[in-house]
Amino acid sequence: MKLIADNLRITIPHIQDALKKENPEPVRTLVLKCLEKKPWAIDINTEPLGKLPRQGMSFFIKAVESVTDLPLVIDTSNPEAMKAGVEIASNEIILNGFSLEPRKVSNILPLAKACNSKIVGFLLFPNSNVPKSESERLEVALELFEKAESAGVAKEQVIIDPIVPPLAWEDGIVQARTILKVIQRLPELLGFPVETMGGLSNLTTGAMDKNKKTLLELTYISMLAAAGLDYALIDILNDQTVKVARTAGILSKEQLFSWEMIPSEWLL
Amino acid sequence: MKLIADNLRITIPHIQDALKKENPEPVRTLVLKCLEKKPWAIDINTEPLGKLPRQGMSFFIKAVESVTDLPLVIDTSNPEAMKAGVEIASNEIILNGFSLEPRKVSNILPLAKACNSKIVGFLLFPNSNVPKSESERLEVALELFEKAESAGVAKEQVIIDPIVPPLAWEDGIVQARTILKVIQRLPELLGFPVETMGGLSNLTTGAMDKNKKTLLELTYISMLAAAGLDYALIDILNDQTVKVARTAGILSKEQLFSWEMIPSEWLL
């Protein structure tokens, strides 16, 4: 399971401020802190970047690339910002992402063909509502692959994000279990090793207590890994969750085990 | 997921000694310590109790029942000791257990009919070797249910133990994943809610480092819970593993979630 730092978000006040002032230092400082924890990639969550999408995306990508060669996950719902990301980035990129929403199918999906990069497909209805049942989700997945094929994007480029639900939703805990089944079923249903990405932070939306959040996250990340999740968007600065996530990655993917796979710096 | 304390074992020197001296105090003290952690049941692991199976089992059961009304898991491979346990115990009991080994089919399995209690069936070949593949394990499970039926033991009385393998085995990590699939598949294969029990301590046999052991155990217990495990034999005195196990139990079984389900005393 590849761990992607989800820490760089435009919603953090001092990062928002850094963009306004075009000062890359706060972004660099945050990313350098994340790099110490050895993520596989850095998610750049810029939200839509309303007014100046190209300048905004350029600012973030340049700031991040000034400190790392790791893959970048370009996380925006704005096709203009995504296009800018594709054009500006030198590092390997993953586009995050598209859904069945027509605007995204026509404006974001084709960018994955143009730059031959991987693209995340969200298991959401065209109106952005979340499907409820396993079968609804599997149908949406099939449609996402159909749209990708029509756009000339190979099925191996598509990473499915089943959308981890907040437990605080009325049926959130049931939905959280359905997600596990969907991750497990997709490869056998579609007949090839479908890759999946999940964002852990949604699970505990509304948690008042950081320790409760951690306990739920590290339990659920083990379940996601067992289901076969390939990429986890995770708070890479939360040591406990990250250690369990790495251990879960080993238990769910390796063919041989040795005690040395669990380095002493991972201990809780 | 019901947590069963696996802490009372005859292999612990001071417990062995207590039996020799017929002094119940060390057993009571250990069980009282376990009770503070609120297990669902207490496993009494007496091994075969070679010379005096009846006296030995009587000693343990009386000592444990003097401090608790919780269910007891009678954990012995000796039919004489098991028979004594069935006759002596007042608390609810689970027999742990039988396998396809002819001696156990003829001498232990019928005890479950006689006392109408649940009995654990081990996923092992008749010679006690461990099956390797998922299909071999599912075949053994079918045979266990056939033997139970022939002995007049209802299928609802049988709890399947898929035998968690040590990770240190050559293919232990692959076997550990196969176990998860077996737990998940059994109910759909057999068409009723087959119950399963797993012992966590085997997983890390040979671990030198207690923290490494804990990290692996709490990760794997989450995976077992997600697969649908009903009963976990667990070191109830290991707070970290137990907290994660309880959280995993909630995530894998509950229909509604509330933050209050995670009490603050569970926090890591």
Side-chain angles (χ1 to χ4, degrees), chain B residues 3-268:
Chain B
L3 304 189
I4 302 170
D6 75 356
N7 302 70
L8 179 56
R9 298 166 181 253
I10 200 171
T11 47
I12 302 169
H14 83 276
I15 296 297
Q16 177 94 65
D17 192 55
L19 170 64
K20 267 189 209 146
K21 295 182 175 149
E22 295 186 55
N23 172 17
E25 272 320 308
V27 176
R28 281 193 197 125
T29 305
L30 174 56
V31 174
L32 284 169
K33 214 170 140 196
C34 292
L35 292 173
E36 285 174 23
K37 305 299 177 176
K38 302 200 185 354
W40 176 80
I42 304 289
D43 185 81
I44 303 182
N45 187 337
T46 68
E47 305 263 314
L49 281 172
K51 289 179 217 155
L52 297 165
R54 177 163 290 268
Q55 286 89 325
M57 187 56 80
S58 173
F59 166 78
F60 280 113
I61 289 185
K62 286 180 179 162
V64 178
E65 289 191 341
S66 73
V67 291
T68 183
D69 294 329
L70 287 185
L72 308 180
V73 180
I74 315 287
D75 193 347
T76 180
S77 57
N78 182 343
E80 277 310 302
M82 190 69 90
K83 189 155 180 282
V86 167
E87 288 166 7
I88 295 157
S90 310
N91 294 9
E92 179 188 340
I93 55 172
I94 293 179
L95 312 187
N96 188 16
F98 83 111
S99 68
L100 296 177
E101 191 188 337
R103 192 174 73 98
K104 290 188 179 157
V105 171
S106 35
N107 297 321
I108 292 186
L109 184 54
L111 295 171
K113 180 177 159 65
C115 68
N116 198 29
S117 62
K118 292 197 175 185
I119 182 165
V120 178
F122 304 124
L123 284 195
L124 294 171
F125 286 127
N127 62 5
S128 293
N129 282 351
V130 176
K132 289 277 179 184
S133 67
E134 185 181 333
S135 62
E136 277 178 345
R137 286 189 168 89
L138 295 174
E139 274 170 38
V140 171
L142 283 171
E143 285 182 59
L144 288 168
F145 279 105
E146 280 169 22
K147 297 291 185 200
E149 199 187 351
S150 303
V153 174
K155 62 185 192 297
E156 292 78 11
Q157 284 174 260
V158 177
I159 300 169
I160 297 292
D161 181 344
I163 312 292
V164 171
L167 287 171
W169 278 0
E170 199 186 329
D171 58 352
I173 198 165
V174 175
Q175 298 295 321
R177 285 200 288 280
T178 307
I179 295 305
L180 301 176
K181 283 200 186 135
V182 168
I183 293 168
Q184 202 172 28
R185 288 277 172 89
L186 276 172
E188 66 194 48
L189 181 77
L190 290 164
F192 72 97
V194 179
E195 288 195 313
T196 45
M197 181 185 290
L200 202 54
S201 64
N202 255 10
L203 187 75
T204 52
T205 301
M208 298 301 171
D209 182 317
K210 193 171 179 306
N211 289 322
K212 251 180 217 203
K213 188 177 157 74
T214 296
L215 185 55
L216 286 161
E217 282 189 354
L218 63 81
T219 304
Y220 191 62
I221 194 72
S222 305
M223 296 177 168
L224 285 167
L229 193 77
D230 298 288
Y231 304 86
L233 280 161
I234 192 168
D235 174 2
I236 204 80
L237 301 177
N238 185 332
D239 278 347
Q240 287 181 309
T241 308
V242 167
K243 286 163 187 175
V244 173
R246 292 198 199 278
T247 305
I250 290 170
L251 288 180
S252 60
K253 300 270 185 198
E254 295 296 332
Q255 294 302 307
L256 288 170
F257 175 82
S258 79
W259 299 107
E260 290 67 36
M261 284 179 175
I262 314 287
S264 46
E265 65 264 27
W266 288 9
L267 301 181
L268 291 171

Side-chain angles (χ1 to χ4, degrees), chain A residues 109-149:
Chain A
L109 184 54
L111 295 171
K113 180 178 159 65
C115 68
N116 198 30
S117 62
K118 291 197 176 187
I119 182 165
V120 178
F122 304 123
L123 285 195
L124 294 171
F125 286 127
N127 62 5
S128 294
N129 282 351
V130 176
K132 288 277 178 183
S133 67
E134 185 182 331
S135 62
E136 277 179 346
R137 287 188 168 89
L138 294 174
E139 274 169 39
V140 170
L142 283 171
E143 284 181 59
L144 287 168
F145 279 105
E146 279 169 22
K147 296 290 185 203
E149 199 186 349

Side-chain angles (χ1 to χ4, degrees), chain A residues 30-51:
Chain A
L30 175 57
V31 174
L32 283 169
K33 213 169 141 196
C34 293
L35 292 174
E36 285 173 22
K37 305 298 177 177
K38 303 201 185 348
W40 176 80
I42 305 288
D43 185 81
I44 303 181
N45 187 338
T46 67
E47 306 263 313
L49 281 172
K51 288 179 218 153

